[in-house]
Each structure stands twice: as structure tokens, then as C-alpha cells.
């Protein structure tokens, strides 16, 4: 995103050692895989979608198609860890279309990008259907069952949101202190990266709504709100403007960063 190397290094350090990503590196939960998948999808949309200024038409097409495929692969990794991430497919599909609209691409370009984006998803879906049939004897039988009247999206949204964000046992802010930097930094980040900011807000909003209404929004026996682990990299990225300003000499901001 054009930030200084030192700032980027500090940001990576904060993610690795100052958030709940650290304890989850030791687990077999699907959260780390979903985190990588959603970050890969975001990177592909930002860096490889709508890129037209290439030396030749062939290389331009290759980069455009690889970006859409990489975005689809990122979604496959996320959906492979939790089927709820199917809800994010329209968000990233729309992001691809909007990014091309910025470059005034043709309708054919829109369609081709969406086809390449959907290719990994289609392959994964086909593979899952075949596995379900071989393993359970039915195409749509995945071996996971809800307990009637006990499991489902039954938690009041306001209760789940408070629980996931500020509650003492599962509050996102307590287990990820650098997220406070993101709250301070978001207006500046949004002005500099409006498209990226809106995509990230949409992904974060889906997490809060879907998992905030889940009957076990706390995620069982876990460290912090494990369902929100995939949005930790997003919040760290948003803190970049604040960190660059603090590291560049603003003493008050630097003091606040160190305290957090």
C-alpha cells in the first residue's frame, strides 16, 4: 500500500505477537486458514484486479486472470474452513466488478473475471459433492447436524455484538489491543483507500452479523472470540496510517502506540 518498510515491519510484528493470532498458531482450528484465505482474496482484488498498464496484452490478461483466480482460491480456503464464508462470495464478486468499473472495462471483461473467480469455487463445490456422496451416500449430506431448537442463528444480534466486541470474556478489543489503533486510524485509511476500506468493512460486518447471531457466538472453549480471528489482519492493516504518523515523529501518537 506504499507505506515505509519500517512501518510495515512494525505492523507485521504487531499482528504476529500482539494479537490473538499468536495462540491460534498452535491450534488446528480453521481460523488461521480462513485468515490467510481472506487476506489472499483482499490482496488479489487490490493488486491484481483491473491492472491494465502492462507491457503487452498477453501479460495484462495473465495478470488479470491470475488475480481473479487468486481471489477465488482465497475464498476456497475460507469456505473450506467454515461454510458460512459462502456469504462473502457476493462481496468479493462485486469488488471485482467495481474495480473493473474504475478502469472502464467492457462487459466481456466483467464476465471473464467473474468466470475465473468462480472457477476455484466450482471445483471445490464439485469436490465436496463427490466427497459427500462417497462418504455419506448423499450429495448434500456433510455429516454436520444442528440440534433442533438448540443450535442455529438464534442469538439476538445486539447481545452477540456486545459479546464479540467488548465483553470481558470474549471482547475483540481486549484480546487484540492493536485494534484500538485501527479505530483511531480508520478515517484516514478510508480517505486514502476508499475502495479497499469498503471491502474490508463489508467483510468485517458479515463476521459480526453472522457470528453475532450464532447460538454459540463465543466459540466454545477458546482464547478470545475465535470466530473473529480472520478479521484480525484487516484491523492491523487499517492501523497503518496511525503507525506511520506515530513512528514519523508525532510524540503523542507514539506514546499511545507504545502504551497500547
Amino acid at each position: 500500500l506504499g507505506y515505509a518498510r519500517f512501518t510495515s515491519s512494525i505492523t507485521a510484528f504487531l499482528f504476529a505477537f500482539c494479537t490473538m493470532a499468536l495462540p491460534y498458531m498452535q491450534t488446528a482450528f480453521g481460523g488461521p486458514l480462513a485468515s490467510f484465505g481472506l487476506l489472499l482474496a483482499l490482496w488479489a482484488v487490490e493488486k491484481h484486479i483491473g491492472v491494465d498498464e502492462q507491457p503487452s496484452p498477453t501479460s495484462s490478461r495473465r495478470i488479470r486472470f491470475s488475480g481473479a483466480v487468486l481471489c477465488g482460491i482465497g475464498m476456497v480456503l475460507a469456505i473450506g474452513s467454515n461454510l458460512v464464508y459462502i456469504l462473502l462470495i457476493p462481496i468479493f464478486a462485486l469488488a471485482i466488478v467495481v474495480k473493473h468499473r474504475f478502469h472502464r472495462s467492457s462487459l466481456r471483461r466483467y464476465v471473464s473475471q467473474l468466470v475465473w473467480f468462480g472457477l476455484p469455487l466450482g471445483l471445490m463445490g464439485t469436490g465436496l459433492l463427490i466427497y459427500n456422496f462417497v462418504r455419506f451416500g448423499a450429495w448434500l449430506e456433510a455429516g454436520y447436524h444442528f440440534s433442533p431448537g438448540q443450535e442455529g442463528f438464534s442469538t439476538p444480534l445486539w447481545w452477540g455484538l456486545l459479546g464479540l466486541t467488548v465483553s470481558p470474556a470474549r471482547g475483540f478489543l481486549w484480546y487484540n489491543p492493536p485494534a484500538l489503533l485501527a479505530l483511531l486510524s480508520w478515517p484516514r485509511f478510508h480517505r486514502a483507500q476508499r475502495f479497499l476500506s469498503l471491502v474490508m468493512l463489508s467483510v468485517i460486518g458479515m463476521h459480526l452479523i453472522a457470528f453475532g447471531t450464532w447460538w454459540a457466538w463465543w466459540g466454545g472453549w477458546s482464547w478470545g472470540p475465535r470466530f473473529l480471528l480472520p478479521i484480525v489482519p484487516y484491523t492491523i492493516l487499517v492501523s497503518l496510517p496511525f503507525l506511520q504518523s506515530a513512528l514519523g515523529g508525532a510524540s503523542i501518537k507514539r506514546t499511545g502506540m507504545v502504551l497500547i
Side-chain angles (χ1 to χ4, degrees), residues 136-149:
F136 302 107
W139 300 105
L140 300 179
E141 175 59 64
Y144 188 92
H145 300 280
F146 292 112
S147 298

Side-chain angles (χ1 to χ4, degrees), residues 51-225:
V51 178
D52 292 321
E53 298 77 19
Q54 300 298 324
S56 69
T58 302
S59 62
S60 178
R61 284 196 299 271
R62 184 164 57 248
I63 288 180
R64 287 196 301 268
F65 294 158
S66 67
V69 171
L70 279 175
C71 187
I73 291 174
M75 289 304 305
V76 164
L77 294 176
I79 295 170
S81 69
N82 194 324
L83 282 176
V84 75
Y85 290 114
I86 289 176
L87 298 175
L88 291 180
I89 293 178
I91 292 176
F92 280 99
L94 181 61
I96 290 173
V97 172
V98 171
K99 191 72 180 291
H100 275 294
R101 185 173 178 83
F102 289 161
H103 294 265
R104 299 181 180 180
S105 300
S106 64
L107 178 61
R108 182 180 178 182
R109 182 78 55 79
Y110 291 155
V111 174
S112 67
Q113 285 289 282
L114 292 177
V115 169
W116 283 103
F117 168 68
L119 180 62
L121 294 168
L123 292 175
M124 181 198 68
T126 302
L128 285 177
L129 290 174
I130 294 174
Y131 174 81
N132 290 341
F133 183 79
V134 173
R135 176 68 177 81
F136 302 107
W139 300 105
L140 300 179
E141 175 59 64
Y144 188 92
H145 300 280
F146 292 112
S147 298
Q150 298 181 17
E151 299 179 351
F153 297 93
S154 55
T155 300
L157 180 59
W158 67 272
W159 182 257
L161 288 179
L162 289 176
L164 288 172
T165 54
V166 297
S167 70
R170 289 292 186 270
F172 185 82
L173 294 177
W174 314 128
Y175 289 89
N176 302 279
L180 295 171
L181 301 177
L183 292 177
L184 297 172
S185 184
W186 205 300
R188 187 174 175 183
F189 181 86
H190 183 75
R191 289 193 296 269
Q193 303 283 343
R194 187 176 299 272
F195 169 78
L196 197 60
S197 174
L198 291 175
V199 175
M200 295 164 77
L201 280 172
S202 300
V203 173
I204 292 173
M206 188 286 296
H207 277 79
L208 293 175
I209 294 173
F211 294 113
T213 55
W214 182 239
W215 72 279
W217 56 265
W218 56 90
W221 293 100
S222 58
W223 178 266

Side-chain angles (χ1 to χ4, degrees), residues 15-26 229:
F15 168 72
F17 299 106
C18 302
T19 70
M20 65 182 187
L22 180 60
Y24 280 97
M25 293 174 187
Q26 310 171 58
L229 179 63

